[in-house]
Amino acid sequence: MFVFFTGGIVFLTLILNGSTTQFLLHALGMDNLSVTKLRMLNYTRHEILNNTLEAFGDLKDDEELGPADWVTVKKYITGLSNLEDEHAHPHDDNHDHVHTMNLKDGRVRLLNGVQASYWAMLDQGQITQATANILMRSVDEAMDLVSSRPLCDWNSLQSSVYFPSYYRFLSASMLPQSFITYFTVQRLESGCYICATFLRAHRIARRQLQNFLGDSEIAKIVIDESNAGGEEARKFLEEVRCTFPQLLCVLKTRQVTYAVLTHLSENVQNLWKTGLLEEKEMAHLDDAWQTDLKKLKRNPQLVKMPRVGDLLGTHPLVGMLPAAVRAPLLSNKKEKVKGHGAALYMEGSRATGIWIVSIGAVKWRSQRLSSRHSLHPIFPHGSTLGLYEVLTGKSCLCDMITDSLVRCFFIEAEKIDQLRRSDPSVEAFLWQESAAVIAKLLIPRVFEKMTMQETRLLVSTGSTMNLYTKGEDIMLEHNYIGILLEGTLKAENQNSILPPGVLLPSNMDLELLGLESSAMNRMDSCYAADSYQVEAQARVLIFEVGRLFTEANGQRNQPGGSFSAEALQLSVEESTGEEQVIITVDSPNKLPLGDSSAGSSSGVTRGS
């Protein structure tokens, strides 16, 4: 009875349902396409016909067999016949309902292209099966919402892309490498793979949609939604690039290695298929590539965290200090790991020490210094923050907020005071290091175009640092500017000038500094006068505006223009009365004491 009923149901399904379903669907009009689909089909048929004629045009005439009857060929291709009607774009209809349907259709097509790219990258070994499952699920969830919301496949990926809170344990050298890799690096690797794959798949899908639909309004809207969805993925990768650059290098190395080994294997297979290699030869070579491929999958290259000593050794401040003073300083360091948006210090707070930024980026903002004049208020890794406040004893000039995950070191102000008292040359070097940061704060439109390395070189070799005693007059020549680091000045029709501040000659062209006269009037850190009288001993850094630009551009264009502690030569000039102390650093391991000589600073005229 079971066999009879089962066989009967199968028989009726095949004979009755199978033969009548198509007729019933057509009679009831259930197989009819919407106007939107018909327009898209007609457009697609035209595009396919044009591409086919272009691709197979060379087959009309064969070298051996002669020409082909192309008219007969076209007759057999019935699906591309009867295309004499107008080649209309499917998105030409501007009715609201049709526009909504076209928009939904465009989103579906782009998501289908994204999903197809995920499959291709999985087959090519660029992503793992686990990563592919997460990405595929995000597309499926976004497909359900295309009619009511913009592209939102990134929303379901956010939970898989973040910096783990236990990142700070990486700094503990006693932890085993396998422990670090499993709990931290793997999480970061997964996030980077997801972001990179998401961005690459959307880029491929956008290009395909653009080539298919052309410059239509629907395509533009969908492409803009795709670009907007990738902003957070780009920010995450940029944060990793600033914080953990070796991770991205290792991931890309793995992908390239896998691609090369796969290509070698396919190349050997092709040589065998074409008869250039025998099967045994092909098997011998292919086994070698497959063995290497298995080793790569089983034991991939691991990401190694930089040691504390390596991070500090490459920092410009630490690398330029003499070994005798470097060791006591570093013995009192405190390593810190700050997440995105954490405050190192706030404007107006008491300076308790300096921050050495080894990995990551820090953003500054200030009410007094008017950070709105800065286009990119970022201090990258290698910066020394808070040093000026410690040297002068002033409260913090601005807020310093981490712009990525930051690995830094904190040194107490007491240790910096002991360091500066140990050697006059060390104190001069510390003033130069602090001046590089102050220059970026006070004149951001000029100095933010330079890297920290270029700013340091410009401060050390393209400027003079002078000490003025009470009662002296400072007169800046045309195209010279000064930065008041400490002391008090007095200018005509102005209140007392307190540091830090920018000193300008009265005839200075403010546009060179990215300022306007109206903007300068609102800033209490910029001053313009014919001369400045010293009320209390003052330290001023003098720049020549022309040299400021030419040396920055020249340093950027030099083949070896990047900063290195070994190549850096510092030149600090300190003037007291008519004497100057010139300090030159030739080696990162030694800061020699300066020798006295007479001279005067170019661009600066002293009074009686």
Side-chain angles (χ1 to χ4, degrees):
M1 186 179 293
F2 173 78
V3 173
F4 175 78
F5 280 113
T6 303
I9 292 172
V10 172
F11 176 79
L12 293 176
T13 301
L14 293 176
I15 300 303
L16 295 181
N17 294 353
S19 60
T20 59
T21 299
Q22 184 176 3
F23 172 76
L24 291 175
L25 290 176
H26 183 71
L28 297 175
M30 298 179 66
D31 60 346
N32 293 338
L33 296 175
S34 64
V35 176
T36 303
K37 294 294 184 183
L38 287 174
R39 291 171 64 90
M40 181 61 72
L41 281 177
N42 185 51
Y43 174 80
T44 304
R45 291 171 68 193
H46 277 91
E47 290 296 315
I48 290 177
L49 178 60
N50 294 334
N51 294 336
T52 302
L53 294 176
E54 181 180 352
F56 294 96
D58 295 338
L59 296 181
K60 294 179 183 179
D61 193 4
D62 188 79
E63 183 177 352
E64 290 81 13
L65 301 178
D69 186 0
W70 196 252
V71 177
T72 304
V73 174
K74 293 177 65 176
K75 287 181 179 180
Y76 279 96
I77 309 175
T78 58
L80 298 180
S81 59
N82 301 323
L83 294 181
E84 304 300 332
D85 51 341
E86 184 181 357
H87 183 193
H89 197 280
H91 297 160
D92 288 344
D93 196 339
N94 294 324
H95 292 87
D96 293 340
H97 175 70
V98 177
H99 182 272
T100 303
M101 295 298 295
N102 287 335
L103 191 57
K104 174 184 175 182
D105 181 74
R107 290 169 180 162
V108 170
R109 294 179 191 278
L110 186 134
L111 289 174
N112 285 333
V114 169
Q115 199 166 49
S117 297
Y118 290 156
W119 280 114
M121 286 182 235
L122 177 62
D123 294 338
Q124 296 169 5
Q126 297 185 19
I127 56 176
T128 62
Q129 184 66 52
T131 303
N133 291 336
I134 297 174
L135 294 168
M136 298 294 184
R137 186 170 61 249
S138 69
V139 175
D140 293 336
E141 294 176 1
M143 284 283 194
D144 299 332
L145 302 173
V146 291
S147 58
S148 58
R149 296 177 58 184
L151 294 174
C152 57
D153 52 328
W154 171 254
N155 294 346
S156 58
L157 299 176
Q158 289 178 328
S159 59
S160 303
V161 178
Y162 63 91
F163 269 98
S165 58
Y166 40 80
Y167 181 90
R168 62 181 179 273
F169 290 118
L170 290 172
S171 59
S173 59
M174 72 287 297
L175 294 177
Q177 185 66 35
S178 58
F179 182 89
I180 296 174
T181 301
Y182 182 79
F183 284 100
T184 305
V185 175
Q186 283 191 350
R187 169 62 64 181
L188 292 178
E189 286 182 0
S190 176
C192 291
Y193 274 131
I194 290 174
C195 290
T197 307
F198 175 86
L199 293 174
R200 187 181 299 112
H202 270 260
R203 184 168 60 250
I204 294 172
R206 288 195 300 267
R207 183 172 61 250
Q208 293 172 343
L209 189 69
Q210 177 74 32
N211 294 337
F212 181 66
L213 296 179
D215 297 327
S216 69
E217 181 184 357
I218 297 298
K220 184 178 182 302
I221 294 175
V222 176
I223 288 174
D224 289 342
E225 292 177 358
S226 174
N227 280 319
E231 283 300 321
E232 291 190 27
R234 280 185 284 270
K235 289 180 180 178
F236 179 82
L237 289 178
E238 187 61 32
E239 187 173 3
V240 174
R241 185 173 290 106
C242 293
T243 308
F244 205 176
Q246 57 269 41
L247 174 63
L248 297 183
C249 181
V250 168
L251 298 184
K252 187 59 180 177
T253 302
R254 289 182 195 170
Q255 288 187 346
V256 171
T257 306
Y258 188 95
V260 171
L261 291 174
T262 304
H263 174 76
L264 291 174
S265 180
E266 293 175 351
N267 194 18
V268 171
Q269 296 283 346
N270 292 333
L271 291 175
W272 170 65
K273 291 177 182 179
T274 57
L276 296 176
L277 285 179
E278 295 181 358
E279 185 174 0
K280 289 184 178 180
E281 296 171 339
M282 179 273 297
H284 180 77
L285 291 175
D286 190 55
D287 286 345
W289 310 139
Q290 293 300 325
T291 301
D292 293 339
L293 197 57
K294 291 177 182 178
K295 288 181 180 179
L296 175 65
K297 293 180 179 179
R298 184 171 57 251
N299 188 23
Q301 179 186 1
L302 296 179
V303 180
K304 296 182 179 180
M305 291 298 299
R307 299 289 181 180
V308 172
D310 298 335
L311 290 175
L312 286 173
T314 57
H315 193 279
L317 174 68
V318 179
M320 292 299 298
L321 291 175
V325 298
R326 185 191 310 164
L329 181 69
L330 298 185
S331 63
N332 296 281
K333 68 185 183 305
K334 296 179 181 178
E335 186 178 6
K336 304 285 185 179
V337 176
K338 299 284 187 178
H340 185 281
L344 298 184
Y345 53 82
M346 305 299 290
E347 183 175 2
S349 61
R350 187 175 67 88
T352 58
I354 68 171
W355 294 87
I356 297 177
V357 181
S358 294
I359 296 178
V362 180
K363 178 182 292 187
W364 68 274
R365 63 189 182 194
S366 172
Q367 296 295 326
R368 179 198 169 193
L369 300 179
S370 185
S371 59
R372 65 179 179 272
H373 294 290
S374 178
L375 301 177
H376 305 285
I378 298 294
F379 284 101
H381 62 89
S383 301
T384 306
L385 306 178
L387 179 58
Y388 174 78
E389 289 87 340
V390 170
L391 293 177
T392 59
K394 291 180 171 293
S395 58
C396 297
L397 300 177
C398 58
D399 301 339
M400 287 293 179
I401 311 296
T402 58
D403 198 48
S404 67
L405 194 101
V406 172
R407 191 176 182 184
C408 53
F409 300 90
F410 179 77
I411 300 177
E412 296 178 354
E414 178 184 353
K415 306 302 178 184
I416 302 300
D417 290 337
Q418 295 175 2
L419 179 65
R420 65 185 295 192
R421 290 195 298 267
S422 63
D423 194 327
S425 62
V426 173
E427 181 179 12
F429 170 66
L430 294 177
W431 276 109
Q432 282 191 333
E433 181 71 12
S434 68
V437 175
I438 295 301
K440 283 183 172 289
L441 293 177
L442 298 184
I443 319 176
R445 289 295 182 90
V446 174
F447 286 96
E448 71 182 4
K449 299 176 183 178
M450 310 178 194
T451 63
M452 281 300 298
Q453 298 91 327
E454 293 168 345
T455 304
R456 283 189 177 98
L457 287 174
L458 186 62
V459 169
S460 61
T461 62
S463 65
T464 57
M465 188 175 295
N466 302 318
L467 280 176
Y468 298 93
T469 59
K470 181 178 181 181
E472 288 189 273
D473 290 336
I474 305 174
M475 290 178 286
L476 299 175
E477 298 180 3
H478 181 61
N479 285 337
Y480 279 84
I481 63 174
I483 297 181
L484 177 63
L485 297 176
E486 66 174 345
T488 306
L489 303 180
K490 180 70 175 179
E492 186 178 358
N493 299 327
Q494 293 186 11
N495 297 325
S496 295
I497 300 175
L498 301 177
V502 179
L503 308 179
L504 307 175
S506 57
N507 56 355
M508 168 64 70
D509 184 6
L510 298 179
E511 294 183 358
L512 292 175
L513 304 179
L515 298 174
E516 300 175 358
S517 57
S518 58
M520 197 192 73
N521 292 334
R522 297 192 301 268
M523 298 174 61
D524 59 352
S525 58
C526 277
Y527 309 90
D530 294 330
S531 64
Y532 301 88
Q533 187 177 20
V534 178
E535 292 187 338
Q537 179 173 296
R539 185 186 301 268
V540 181
L541 189 69
I542 307 295
F543 289 99
E544 182 183 359
V545 176
R547 187 176 181 184
L548 187 151
F549 290 103
T550 56
E551 290 211 359
N553 294 333
Q555 182 65 30
R556 188 180 291 110
N557 295 330
Q558 288 178 3
S562 59
F563 175 84
S564 64
E566 291 78 5
L568 179 63
Q569 292 191 358
L570 298 177
S571 169
V572 183
E573 298 184 4
E574 292 189 339
S575 301
T576 305
E578 295 182 355
E579 294 186 347
Q580 291 183 331
V581 180
I582 303 176
I583 303 164
T584 303
V585 179
D586 297 321
S587 171
N589 300 320
K590 185 180 180 182
L591 275 173
L593 290 175
D595 51 282
S596 299
S597 61
S600 61
S601 301
S602 63
V604 184
T605 305
R606 294 180 177 275
S608 57

